[in-house]
Amino acid sequence: MAKFKMKHSQHWLLFVLFFPLSSVLCFSELSFITEPTDVTVLPNDPAVLDCQAHGHPPVTIKWLKNGHHLAESQHMQSLPNGSLYIPKTTYTKEESDEGFYQCLSQNKYGAILSQRSRLTIASISEFVFHPVPMVVTEGSVARFSCAVTSIPPATITWEFNQRTLPLLTDRITVLSSGILQIYNVQLEDAGKYRCVATNIGSRLKSREAALRVNQDLGPKPRQRPKIIAEPQNVTVSLHQTVVLECVATGNPWPIISWSRADSKPIDVYNAKVLGNGNLVITDVSSKHSGIYLCRATTPGTRNYTIAAANLTVLVPPSIVERPESQTRPRAGTARFMCQAEGLPPPRIRWLKNGEEVHLNGRIKMYNSKLVITQIIPEDDAIYQCMAENELGSMLSIARLIVVMSEDRPSAPRNIHAETISSSAILLAWERPLFNADKVIAYSIHYMKTEGLNNEEYQVVIGNDTTSYILDDLEPAQNYSFYIVAYMPMGASRMSDQVSQHTLEDVPLRTSELSLTSHSSTDIQVSWQPLPAKVSRGQLSAYRLSYRTATDNTVISVELPQNSTEYLLRGLQPDTIYLLRMAAATRVGWCEPSAWTSHRTPKISSNKVPSAPILQLGALNCTSIVARWQTSPDSVVVKGYRLCYHEEGQPEQPSILLPAQTYTYTISGLDPRRKYHVKILALSQTGDGYQTDQAVSTPGCVSARDQLAAAPPPPDSVAVVASNTSSVSLHWSRPAFPSGKAVSYTVRCTPVGAHNASAIRYLQTSKQSVVVQNLHPNTHYEFVVRLHVDQMSSPWSSVFNCWTLPAAPSQPPPGLRVTLIEDDTALVSWREPTEPSVVVTHYTILYASQKAWMAGRWQKMQREGTHTMALLEKLEPGNIYLVKISASNQVGDGPYSNPVELALKRGNTHRSKNPRHSDNFLDTTVFSDGVYHMDQRSMTGIIAGVSIALACIVMCALILITKGRPRKSPSHKVIAEGAGEGTCPGLSLPNDHHMENVEALIPMISEHFLDLKGGSNRAINCAGPVSGKNQSTWLLFKREIRNSSGNDIEMRASSYEAGRTVLRYEQHLAPLPPLSQDIIYGPLQSETSNSSEGSQDTGDSGHYSNEESNDDMSNGSTTHSFRPESFGSDEGTTVSGLKQCFKVENKVMLGHPLSHSATDASKLSECSHLVPQTSQANSC
């Protein structure tokens, strides 16, 4: 049965371990072999959308169009492999088969949805614009263009005079965008031109446009380069080909070159120049995105003209962090991570078995993460993360397996939260009431209580603690907490929720400043309110500081906390000013921002454009968008000049923008960097007023653009103990490029501490701190971390330091003074309770009352490992005072309260028990410790015990001597042999021995032993029985040799009235069976009936007998063995003894080795007739 149970348990264990794995393996079988892709067909042509799935059978496939299920019909049929077949596509205003299609695959584990595919029916529309006629001069440039809407995109070709235009000369360039360029126009180029748009289903021709060429009549004057066809902002999809056109004229003919605004090199492998200056980039990718500059330069001069265009490459979604399948117990929490990238940034949706997840209070979505709390069996499903943008969709699959268990622990109890600092809260709880021993881990859940759609965070810790410090919280925020207990096959319900808030802190940083000038003597300063995550509390004030670049005198202005702008007046014209801002909470001021420069305008009589109103925003982690607008005034704006630079870096070349441009994208930036952007308007009368503003790029979340590395931890950390309760720390700021304010957190932990509340956190903006209120002579660990721009470095290496030791602050507890001899006392105490104090020695002061009044103390010292001492040679009749102190290498501690010890004179019993004599005062103080004895006390105790044992031996010898048999002819005896083995039978006379039956009374009911342990000889009711060792009992041998009479009398032991009997009960281990055991059988029955009046003394060597002196002097406590009961009851007693003797005789003669039940009962009944010894005191 046990083997069956073991095998059954093993099978169950294997099932538990491999059930989740097998489920995941089965789940992985449900997948798509082929997913539908984009398809373009002609009207009325058939279309096939492929879809094949593989999984645990049966697998069914259904189709959705634009998110709705399709019903199978003759118009749309599902093929056996799951693909969708449309025999004849329709494309009318009333009904069209165009749209987005997806297939849904399902089996017993769940359902999965395929990627989105688009069915397009080819078409081509009228031309958006046609080429227009042109008149050019011989030797110049002619340019025609046309545009058409086509699906799929049409191919553009050109016809000259209704014939295909030959491209046999380098003078003619045809761009894929539908542009025709003719350089160095000749007279024979005159004619009619038209474009032809062709796709898979149609061919469309535009209207004709005539080109007229005028003959060149003479030399041309010198002309500055002029760009007549600027590159246009273009957005293309991944892997397509893009053409950036740039056509310029001038005399001499300008040279066209290309560059990037971010100074990055142009991809030479995929880029080339087409014609006289068009840039063509094939197989574009996201790295090609950016601003491209076309520069037309007059040869041999510095005269140039620049035109810019922004290239945006759209990228379909791709999932860079895929969700992972999970096995979770019921009532647990599952978190599915999903990160996707693309341009435009893809939107994340979550599907459950092919349908969109319904979000509620238990199922939430934080950004792109799906969190399911308090899992129920219905949550067991297949989940998909879908990332989609206008270029397509991408899905990733994960399975949630819910493990059921009925034997779950109850929820953790008595949750308590306590604020430690601005970023740390201590959470404590009690273990579950039920099944607490099965808990293997605790899961702490917490989230902000203010705001909507706050993300819930989770921390998992072991089962060896019931407290935890959350030290990554935001300052001045309210948080809610609850805890779940986990066991191997399930989780408890969530505990009660508790809320707690963190303390305020100084602001993390200030807002970015926007600086503009409306005149030559003022600067308008504006800023945005700080978000709560940055302010870290309620703002109390702002401080604006400014100075000129040449003067170090700083002027500061404090502003109310609700201010967002301030106008500085009375400034100097054409002067560079430096400005910075600081913000404060009730805790204090933050580090001021870096200095921002702004130049006031020059004094001018001409009216110039006012400063544009600039708005900056981050497009992504590497791009920012600048938008501006100008106030309407009479000054005509000819263009704008924009420049930017990273903080702490030199400015980039200025970018000239056309007058009608009001937005510009700056690309190719670094993530998590601060950039300053300046813009001003240009006019005929001069440059306008300038606007300065700063913006920071966010961090990238994709794998391609890695997150900015976390700042390194502080280095060169030094820890020095200042005194017994404080430690000084110094460190250096690590080398990393950042102009932002830096703060630090110091964590102090006692080594070996199990209480989380003992951990301390200190925050500072300096590079040193003094940790105070520490315990003396205690080992601490210190670590430091750095905070900058909402990022935290790892903790530094651990540095250990001991605080300096302190002198004991308390005397040793439990002082006890005990008198152990006439002139000797034992002083004992306990070690000090201060854990951080190491005692090197103890100092004991003692003095008699007279000496104490005279100020004379006797001094004694003991090592710190001792907790007792002896005070010797004390004078009787005096009262002594004793006190003690502890000392270490630092100093001496205080003395304890004095303890009195009184010694009295004239006691005659001191030698018997000097420690507890009634005539001596046992002077002690209260102590809960164990009493300690020294060597001298132990010697006295041993001596006393030895004397007692000697007395016992003497008493035994006296008793044996008094028990000699008297020679009398009237005494008839019965004896046994003295050897081992079976006793010979006993023969009794017939009737003439009955009168001497008194001699048969048993002397000892059990057996008699020498207290030295040397003999097992016994005297019982049949006579003496000897063991092997007979040399000890010499008195018995001598008595037998000196006796006169017959042989039987010489070998007998008779009873005489008045003789004292020595009795002894043995509790040692059982010995081999002796003669008396063989004759009388086991002694248990005798023991149970003959032990009345005896005192159980164990094996201590004390005996239950009386000395003869005590028998005579203290008769009231002694029962004589003289048969006084033979008086009135003599007949009854004798008759009983005769019967007893007959029974014994029968037993000994007939059954020497065994007793019958009847005989045993008779022996038991007669045993009470034997006179018993009384209970007596020890010798």
Side-chain angles (χ1 to χ4, degrees):
M1 183 64 184
K3 186 175 182 181
F4 169 76
K5 289 183 178 180
M6 183 180 298
K7 289 184 177 180
H8 182 73
S9 301
Q10 291 176 351
H11 292 321
W12 174 251
L13 179 61
L14 292 175
F15 172 76
V16 170
L17 291 178
F18 291 103
F19 171 74
L21 180 60
S22 63
S23 300
V24 175
L25 290 176
C26 292
F27 149 69
S28 64
E29 297 295 329
L30 182 60
S31 59
F32 285 109
I33 301 175
T34 304
E35 294 187 67
T37 57
D38 293 345
V39 176
T40 301
V41 296
L42 296 175
N44 301 322
D45 281 0
V48 177
L49 299 175
D50 291 327
C51 181
Q52 296 183 40
H54 173 73
H56 191 284
V59 177
T60 60
I61 293 180
K62 298 180 181 179
W63 282 88
L64 290 81
K65 177 185 177 182
N66 297 330
H68 302 285
H69 286 273
L70 281 176
E72 189 171 349
S73 63
Q74 292 184 351
H75 181 62
M76 292 188 178
Q77 304 172 11
S78 293
L79 300 180
N81 64 354
S83 300
L84 180 65
Y85 174 63
I86 305 177
K88 183 178 180 181
T89 56
T90 59
Y91 183 65
T92 62
K93 293 183 178 180
E94 293 79 12
E95 184 179 0
S96 174
D97 291 330
E98 280 191 328
F100 294 96
Y101 289 82
Q102 291 172 287
C103 62
L104 180 68
S105 175
Q106 186 173 9
N107 66 1
K108 67 176 185 178
Y109 295 110
I112 56 175
L113 193 66
S114 71
Q115 66 182 13
R116 187 180 64 187
S117 66
R118 182 175 184 177
L119 175 62
T120 305
I121 298 178
S123 63
I124 190 169
S125 65
E126 293 295 329
F127 279 91
V128 178
F129 57 87
H130 296 264
V132 295
M134 293 187 67
V135 178
V136 297
T137 304
E138 184 181 5
S140 61
V141 178
R143 179 179 178 275
F144 294 99
S145 64
C146 67
V148 67
T149 302
S150 173
I151 299 176
T155 301
I156 303 295
T157 59
W158 287 87
E159 292 182 352
F160 175 59
N161 295 329
Q162 298 184 358
R163 294 192 178 202
T164 302
L165 177 67
L167 303 177
L168 301 178
T169 174
D170 294 338
R171 296 186 302 107
I172 300 177
T173 303
V174 177
L175 305 181
S176 59
S177 56
I179 296 174
L180 173 62
Q181 298 173 349
I182 305 175
Y183 293 91
N184 192 17
V185 176
Q186 304 297 319
L187 294 176
E188 60 268 21
D189 294 331
K192 294 181 179 180
Y193 293 84
R194 69 179 180 185
C195 64
V196 179
T198 305
N199 69 5
I200 61 174
S202 302
R203 178 184 175 90
L204 194 63
K205 297 181 179 180
S206 68
R207 292 193 296 266
E208 293 184 335
L211 173 62
R212 292 177 56 187
V213 180
N214 295 330
Q215 188 175 3
D216 188 7
L217 300 178
K220 297 179 181 179
R222 292 183 64 88
Q223 293 181 350
R224 291 177 61 88
K226 180 181 180 181
I227 298 177
I228 60 174
E230 297 180 349
Q232 302 297 314
N233 294 337
V234 59
T235 299
V236 295
S237 299
L238 197 66
H239 306 303
Q240 290 187 352
T241 298
V242 64
V243 177
L244 297 177
E245 183 186 19
C246 186
V247 179
T249 61
N251 189 20
W253 197 265
I255 299 174
I256 295 178
S257 61
W258 286 90
S259 63
R260 290 179 59 120
D262 54 10
S263 301
K264 293 182 179 180
I266 295 178
D267 185 4
V268 297
Y269 297 99
N270 297 87
K272 65 179 180 178
V273 176
L274 182 63
N276 282 10
N278 306 292
L279 182 64
V280 179
I281 305 175
T282 60
D283 191 21
V284 295
S285 61
S286 57
K287 69 179 181 180
H288 295 117
S289 295
I291 298 174
Y292 289 81
L293 304 177
C294 172
R295 180 168 177 163
T297 307
T298 301
T301 68
R302 295 184 177 181
N303 296 327
Y304 65 89
T305 301
I306 291 180
N310 185 30
L311 171 61
T312 303
V313 180
L314 300 181
V315 181
S318 63
I319 298 178
V320 296
E321 184 179 1
R322 298 179 177 273
E324 297 180 354
S325 298
Q326 303 179 30
T327 300
R328 291 290 182 268
R330 186 174 63 177
T333 299
R335 286 177 170 80
F336 293 103
M337 307 296 297
C338 185
Q339 293 287 344
E341 64 177 3
L343 193 66
R347 184 172 68 96
I348 301 294
R349 291 195 301 150
W350 283 92
L351 307 177
K352 175 185 176 183
N353 289 337
E355 298 182 356
E356 190 160 358
V357 172
H358 176 64
L359 301 179
N360 52 36
R362 194 175 57 84
I363 303 176
K364 296 182 180 180
M365 183 175 172
Y366 303 106
N367 296 327
S368 60
K369 179 169 62 176
L370 180 67
V371 179
I372 306 174
T373 59
Q374 291 297 301
I375 291 175
I376 59 177
E378 288 74 14
D379 296 327
D380 192 316
I382 300 176
Y383 293 84
Q384 290 179 279
C385 169
M386 174 184 283
E388 56 184 352
N389 62 9
E390 58 189 57
L391 272 70
S393 64
M394 179 67 68
L395 293 98
S396 184
I397 305 172
R399 172 80 188 278
L400 174 60
I401 301 172
V402 181
V403 179
M404 307 297 294
S405 176
E406 297 299 332
D407 190 17
R408 294 187 297 161
S410 57
R413 303 171 294 144
N414 300 332
I415 314 300
H416 174 70
E418 181 180 348
T419 301
I420 297 179
S421 66
S422 61
S423 61
I425 289 179
L426 169 64
L427 201 64
W429 63 93
E430 293 183 9
R431 299 183 185 275
L433 190 60
F434 303 105
N435 294 326
D437 55 331
K438 298 181 180 180
V439 174
I440 60 173
Y442 293 98
S443 175
I444 300 174
H445 303 254
Y446 63 99
M447 63 183 298
K448 295 180 184 177
T449 59
E450 299 173 356
L452 300 175
N453 200 28
N454 291 321
E455 183 173 0
E456 181 179 278
Y457 300 92
Q458 180 184 16
V459 177
V460 179
I461 61 175
N463 64 346
D464 56 346
T465 181
T466 56
S467 62
Y468 187 77
I469 292 181
L470 300 162
D471 59 354
D472 57 350
L473 308 178
E474 296 180 12
Q477 294 288 337
N478 287 323
Y479 286 87
S480 63
F481 305 87
Y482 70 89
I483 304 173
V484 176
Y486 282 87
M487 58 181 291
M489 295 300 293
S492 71
R493 297 190 179 275
M494 57 185 293
S495 66
D496 295 335
Q497 289 193 359
V498 296
S499 298
Q500 187 64 296
H501 65 279
T502 52
L503 301 177
E504 286 191 352
D505 205 343
V506 297
L508 190 63
R509 57 178 173 82
T510 59
S511 298
E512 307 294 351
L513 299 180
S514 178
L515 308 176
T516 58
S517 291
H518 301 293
S519 69
S520 59
T521 58
D522 64 29
I523 298 178
Q524 178 72 41
V525 184
S526 59
W527 60 91
Q528 296 294 326
L530 286 176
K533 190 174 182 178
V534 177
S535 65
R536 306 205 289 188
Q538 182 67 36
L539 291 179
S540 58
Y542 289 100
R543 179 186 293 158
L544 177 64
S545 303
Y546 64 96
R547 65 180 178 88
T548 62
T550 58
D551 189 2
N552 292 329
T553 304
V554 178
I555 303 174
S556 298
V557 180
E558 289 202 7
L559 307 173
Q561 70 272 16
N562 54 357
S563 304
T564 56
E565 61 181 5
Y566 186 75
L567 180 63
L568 295 176
R569 304 176 184 270
L571 306 179
Q572 301 175 13
D574 194 21
T575 304
I576 297 178
Y577 280 87
L578 302 179
L579 301 93
R580 68 181 183 184
M581 177 77 76
T585 61
R586 290 177 295 181
V587 180
W589 291 91
C590 72
E591 290 290 330
S593 62
W595 290 105
T596 301
S597 64
H598 181 81
R599 180 186 290 272
T600 55
K602 298 179 181 179
I603 297 177
S604 174
S605 58
N606 298 326
K607 187 174 182 181
V608 295
S610 59
I613 302 174
L614 179 63
Q615 292 182 348
L616 299 177
L619 180 63
N620 51 48
C621 62
T622 59
S623 303
I624 57 177
V625 177
R627 297 180 176 87
W628 63 90
Q629 58 183 5
T630 56
S631 58
D633 48 30
S634 59
V635 179
V636 178
V637 176
K638 297 180 58 178
Y640 298 95
R641 179 185 296 136
L642 183 145
C643 61
Y644 68 95
H645 67 92
E646 183 181 345
E647 189 172 83
Q649 302 296 325
E651 289 189 359
Q652 300 290 332
S654 299
I655 302 172
L656 298 178
L657 302 173
Q660 301 303 319
T661 304
Y662 298 103
T663 181
Y664 188 78
T665 301
I666 304 175
S667 302
L669 307 179
D670 293 327
R672 293 187 181 273
R673 294 291 186 268
K674 184 178 181 180
Y675 289 89
H676 295 268
V677 180
K678 301 179 181 180
I679 190 171
L680 55 85
L682 306 176
S683 68
Q684 291 282 1
T685 58
D687 296 346
Y689 297 133
Q690 180 178 282
T691 298
D692 297 339
Q693 196 171 334
V695 67
S696 297
T697 54
C700 296
V701 295
S702 65
R704 195 168 299 173
D705 298 321
Q706 292 293 333
L707 281 167
D715 51 22
S716 302
V717 180
V719 184
V720 179
S722 303
N723 50 48
T724 60
S725 62
S726 64
V727 170
S728 177
L729 282 85
H730 303 271
W731 59 87
S732 299
R733 172 174 170 167
F736 70 98
S738 176
K740 298 182 180 296
V742 174
S743 61
Y744 303 91
T745 298
V746 177
R747 186 180 71 193
C748 171
T749 308
V751 174
H754 298 287
N755 187 4
S757 60
I759 304 175
R760 296 174 58 186
Y761 292 83
L762 292 87
Q763 294 182 337
T764 179
S765 58
K766 301 178 181 179
Q767 295 181 10
S768 63
V769 71
V770 177
V771 185
Q772 299 178 341
N773 299 324
L774 303 179
H775 297 292
N777 197 32
T778 303
H779 191 190
Y780 287 93
E781 291 180 348
F782 298 91
V783 289
V784 188
R785 80 190 311 179
L786 177 146
H787 308 280
V788 58
D789 192 24
Q790 305 180 32
M791 297 176 62
S792 298
S793 74
W795 289 105
S796 67
S797 300
V798 176
F799 294 88
N800 295 272
C801 182
W802 286 82
T803 52
L804 297 179
S809 60
Q810 297 176 357
L815 177 61
R816 180 187 180 104
V817 183
T818 306
L819 186 66
I820 61 174
E821 292 185 3
D822 294 350
D823 59 348
T824 304
L826 176 68
V827 182
S828 62
W829 60 91
R830 295 197 306 272
E831 295 181 354
T833 57
E834 299 175 83
S836 58
V837 173
V838 178
V839 177
T840 58
H841 65 275
Y842 296 96
T843 301
I844 304 170
L845 296 183
Y846 66 100
S848 63
Q849 196 168 24
K850 296 179 180 179
W852 168 73
M853 295 180 64
R856 295 191 305 271
W857 290 88
Q858 298 186 54
K859 184 177 181 180
M860 176 186 299
Q861 288 190 345
R862 287 292 180 267
E863 294 182 1
T865 57
H866 294 176
T867 56
M868 64 177 62
L870 283 176
L871 303 182
E872 298 179 309
K873 298 181 181 180
L874 303 179
E875 298 178 1
N878 288 333
I879 298 177
Y880 282 85
L881 299 179
V882 182
K883 60 183 180 179
I884 187 172
S885 71
S887 306
N888 59 9
Q889 66 270 25
V890 179
D892 300 330
Y895 281 93
S896 64
N897 294 327
V899 174
E900 292 186 0
L901 176 66
L903 282 77
K904 293 186 178 181
R905 298 179 182 273
N907 195 332
T908 59
H909 300 283
R910 294 177 189 174
S911 60
K912 285 189 177 182
N913 192 353
R915 203 185 317 177
H916 300 290
S917 173
D918 294 338
N919 297 320
F920 279 86
L921 180 63
D922 186 9
T923 306
T924 62
V925 293
F926 177 79
S927 174
D928 56 356
V930 178
Y931 181 76
H932 302 275
M933 284 189 292
D934 60 357
Q935 185 177 0
R936 189 162 181 176
S937 300
M938 184 61 70
T939 303
I941 294 174
I942 293 174
V945 172
S946 301
I947 295 173
L949 292 176
C951 293
I952 294 172
V953 172
M954 292 176 61
C955 294
L957 294 177
I958 294 172
L959 291 176
I960 294 172
T961 304
K962 291 177 65 64
R964 291 181 181 178
R966 300 177 183 178
K967 293 184 288 182
S968 174
S970 62
H971 292 173
K972 301 295 186 280
V973 297
I974 300 171
E976 65 167 348
E980 285 288 329
T982 306
C983 298
L986 299 178
S987 61
L988 292 174
N990 294 329
D991 294 329
H992 66 278
H993 281 282
M994 287 303 176
E995 65 274 9
N996 295 322
V997 73
E998 179 184 348
L1000 300 176
I1001 298 175
M1003 298 176 61
I1004 301 179
S1005 62
E1006 290 189 359
H1007 49 275
F1008 170 79
L1009 289 181
D1010 182 6
L1011 70 101
K1012 299 290 186 178
S1015 173
N1016 59 0
R1017 182 178 178 114
I1019 300 173
N1020 59 22
C1021 60
V1025 179
S1026 300
K1028 291 181 180 181
N1029 189 356
Q1030 303 176 20
S1031 60
T1032 305
W1033 297 92
L1034 298 177
L1035 293 177
F1036 281 101
K1037 288 188 176 183
R1038 184 166 56 252
E1039 178 186 7
I1040 296 174
R1041 284 198 303 266
N1042 296 332
S1043 301
S1044 62
N1046 56 36
D1047 184 61
I1048 297 178
E1049 290 180 351
M1050 294 174 62
R1051 293 186 288 116
S1053 175
S1054 62
Y1055 172 81
E1056 291 184 15
R1059 175 170 297 180
T1060 303
V1061 179
L1062 181 66
R1063 302 182 68 251
Y1064 171 76
E1065 292 186 8
Q1066 183 177 5
H1067 294 278
L1068 300 177
L1071 299 175
L1074 305 179
S1075 300
Q1076 68 270 25
D1077 298 326
I1078 299 173
I1079 297 173
Y1080 298 106
L1083 301 175
Q1084 282 79 359
S1085 60
E1086 293 185 10
T1087 304
S1088 61
N1089 291 281
S1090 62
S1091 59
E1092 292 184 15
S1094 66
Q1095 180 181 3
D1096 186 3
T1097 60
D1099 55 356
S1100 61
H1102 292 247
Y1103 298 87
S1104 300
N1105 70 310
E1106 291 264 353
E1107 297 182 14
S1108 59
N1109 296 336
D1110 294 336
D1111 291 341
M1112 292 181 294
S1113 63
N1114 194 7
S1116 62
T1117 60
T1118 303
H1119 296 274
S1120 174
F1121 284 98
R1122 184 177 184 87
E1124 298 175 357
S1125 59
F1126 285 0
S1128 60
D1129 299 331
E1130 181 178 355
T1132 305
T1133 305
V1134 173
S1135 175
L1137 288 174
K1138 288 180 179 181
Q1139 184 66 25
C1140 178
F1141 182 82
K1142 290 180 181 180
V1143 174
E1144 291 179 359
N1145 235 352
K1146 178 182 178 181
V1147 172
M1148 289 185 291
L1149 294 176
H1151 305 278
L1153 299 178
S1154 62
H1155 294 193
S1156 66
T1158 306
D1159 296 338
S1161 60
K1162 292 181 179 179
L1163 287 173
S1164 176
E1165 291 172 359
C1166 68
S1167 61
H1168 72 280
L1169 300 174
V1170 182
Q1172 305 292 327
T1173 59
S1174 64
Q1175 185 174 4
N1177 297 327
S1178 313
C1179 293

